[in-house]
Structures are given as structure tokens and as C-alpha cells.
Amino acid sequence: MIKLIASDLDGTLLQNNAPLPSPHALDLITQLLDRGVYFTTASGREHSNLTRLFAPIRDRIFYIAENGALTIVKDQVIARGEIPKDLALRILRELKKDPAVEILVSCERCCYIDSHTPSFIDHIINEMQNKTEIIDDLLHVPDTITKMAVYRPEHDPKLLKDYQDHLQSLFGHELKIVTSGSFWLDFIAPNANKGTALRALMQHLSIQPEECMAFGDQYNDIEMLRTAGVSYAMSNSAPGISYYSKYVTNSVEEVLEDLLLTMEYANARE
């Protein structure tokens, strides 16, 4: 029996660049919560952004944020990852060599940018609605860093892949660098990913892998898909992601509908 559901957002629960979960998705999640099934986000986004997206049920769900660097249960961090300061500074100095990219540094309290590009600032603050501070230089971020991300505005998968390969050659032996959508590369804390976060949450809730269902579509979802006993890759996932899942689906909502029907049928037979 499924007791915990973990879902990535962008490209998974949020399809076609949807800014918010659909009312139907929120209703399905609410019905599952009412039946005693836990739900957690599992996203590269920051915690405050996630609570805004799930405002109607924000206090009823859990949060895996910053690609697993923060696992939050009822406003308490139960698992945390961080990027060592020396490594973060070396990465930032390399990123700053390319004037075409924008950089975002995430910490537990907020995220930081030092951009002078109005469109990027508007995207982070007004579209993503991250809790954001603009500082003079990201080399002087005052807090412990949980995640870093770099944004390339050109919608060119080859350029993004080439840049990822370049950064991987420099830092890949120290941390994982993954695509997150069509424009972003994420630097994941060495001791954290969505899989380690999901395991921490499962342990906290005394839930076994076979009681956990997960959904994802990108390379930052691989560890989570491998951790859950029941896993779904989206049909439009990045190449190779379905290899790490048990099933493929076009829609998270369709799977949740089937799960509810199965639970109702089981209850009717009792």
C-alpha cells in the first residue's frame, strides 16, 4: 500500500510551463491526504517558493527543496546538505568568466543574486517569487550555501550540454551537476540529492521503499526514482530517465486518480 508520494514539479506535476499545480491536482492530493497518504514536493526550487505553489495545502504536505539539500517537515529541517565554502567560491569564479550566464545561490533562509539584468531579476523575484536578496557580489554570500544554479538564456540544448560538460570536467569529481529544465544547470550539495532526502523522510515516517511512489523527468530525479519502490518517469522526460523508473506516464494526475480508485475498491471489499 502506498503511504508516501514524492513528485518533482517542473516538467512533471507542472506540465507545459504551468505556473501552479492545477486545481484538479490539488484536489487529488487533498483526497489522498485525507486517506492518510503523505505527499512531498521534490524540487530544485526553494522552500518559500514551494509553499506558495501549494498554498491551499501548504501545512499538510512535506517539502524536499533545493534538489534534496533541505528536507522539511512541519517547518522543521530534518535533513540538510551544503556546498563547502571553498568549493562554492571556486565554482562561482569559474561561472563569472562567462558574461552570458546568470547565477543563483540558494541558502536556507533565501536565495541570492548579483545580477544587473532586469529580465532575470524579474524572473526570479516576480515570476518564480523566490525569497530573494540582491547583493553586490555572490563571492560574499553571508550564509551556508545549500545549492547553486546557473542560467543560460539561449534555448539551445547543445550549448547547455557543452557548458555542463565543461563544468563537469572541472568540478564533477566534487559534486553533481545536472540539468534542471531547459535553461538551468544545478550544482547539488555533495552530501545531498532527492534520493537521500527521500530516504531521510521515509525513515522519519517509518515508511518502506515499497510504500513510496515517486515521479520525475530530469537527471536530478534519478536518485529519487531509484529510491522509491514505485516510480514513474514522465513520457517527455530527458533521454534515459525512464531507465531508472519502473513505469512511464503522461500525467501524474492520471496515476493519482488510479491510486484513489484502487484505495476505494480495497475499502469497499473490506
Side-chain angles (χ1 to χ4, degrees):
M1 177 181 175
I2 298 299
K3 297 181 180 179
L4 171 64
I5 297 168
S7 181
D8 172 55
L9 296 186
D10 298 288
T12 302
L13 188 63
L14 303 182
Q15 288 283 319
N16 302 314
N17 297 312
L20 294 167
S22 70
H24 183 48
L26 290 177
D27 178 62
L28 292 170
I29 294 168
T30 299
Q31 290 186 58
L32 288 162
L33 292 170
D34 290 342
R35 286 166 170 77
V37 179
Y38 299 110
F39 179 86
T40 183
T41 65
S43 174
R45 298 189 186 214
E46 65 166 20
H47 178 228
S48 64
N49 182 288
L50 296 173
T51 58
R52 176 184 62 83
L53 293 181
F54 289 87
I57 54 173
R58 58 177 295 172
D59 296 326
R60 300 188 65 190
I61 67 173
F62 305 138
Y63 300 92
I64 293 173
E66 310 291 11
N67 280 325
L70 294 174
T71 307
I72 300 171
V73 174
K74 299 187 184 302
D75 292 326
Q76 297 296 314
V77 177
I78 66 165
R80 178 186 286 104
E82 64 179 73
I83 299 178
K85 189 66 175 288
D86 173 70
L87 175 57
L89 291 175
R90 284 187 282 120
I91 293 171
L92 285 168
R93 291 189 182 104
E94 177 61 30
L95 298 179
K96 285 176 171 287
K97 293 178 183 178
D98 188 342
V101 304
E102 301 286 357
I103 310 166
L104 182 146
V105 172
S106 296
C107 302
E108 188 171 331
R109 185 178 62 85
C110 69
C111 71
Y112 294 90
I113 58 175
D114 61 3
S115 175
H116 297 286
T117 306
S119 59
F120 181 72
I121 295 171
D122 178 71
H123 176 66
I124 298 300
I125 295 177
N126 297 318
E127 292 183 34
M128 295 188 68
Q129 297 187 32
N130 281 0
K131 185 178 180 182
T132 307
E133 289 193 14
I134 303 174
I135 59 177
D136 292 333
D137 191 344
L138 290 176
L139 294 173
H140 302 292
V141 167
D143 300 326
T144 299
I145 295 173
T146 54
K147 193 197 77 174
M148 301 168 61
V150 58
Y151 174 84
R152 291 199 69 99
E154 318 99 327
H155 187 16
D156 186 332
K158 185 178 186 307
L159 278 177
L160 191 67
K161 181 64 168 62
D162 289 346
Y163 194 47
Q164 180 185 13
D165 290 344
H166 167 67
L167 295 170
Q168 193 77 28
S169 70
L170 297 175
F171 307 109
H173 62 292
E174 296 179 87
L175 83 176
K176 194 169 183 179
I177 306 166
V178 297
T179 55
S180 183
S182 302
F183 301 93
W184 290 90
L185 293 175
D186 285 354
F187 298 81
I188 299 177
N191 56 343
N193 56 57
K194 291 184 183 182
T196 61
L198 184 58
R199 282 193 293 274
L201 183 56
M202 289 164 56
Q203 183 177 6
H204 180 79
L205 299 170
S206 299
I207 287 174
Q208 300 303 310
E210 61 270 19
E211 299 172 318
C212 180
M213 176 184 288
F215 299 87
D217 77 310
Q218 282 289 340
Y219 299 106
N220 59 345
D221 297 316
I222 288 175
E223 292 86 356
M224 176 178 69
L225 294 173
R226 296 178 68 178
T227 297
V230 181
S231 55
Y232 288 84
M234 306 308 294
S235 57
N236 58 349
S237 292
I241 297 301
S242 61
Y243 173 81
Y244 299 97
S245 70
K246 289 193 173 181
Y247 307 104
V248 174
T249 183
N250 294 321
S251 166
V252 175
E253 295 174 20
E254 288 180 2
V255 178
L256 298 187
E257 288 170 355
D258 289 344
L259 179 59
L260 280 165
L261 287 173
T262 301
M263 295 175 71
E264 290 174 3
Y265 177 73
N267 288 337
R269 293 192 62 186
E270 291 180 355

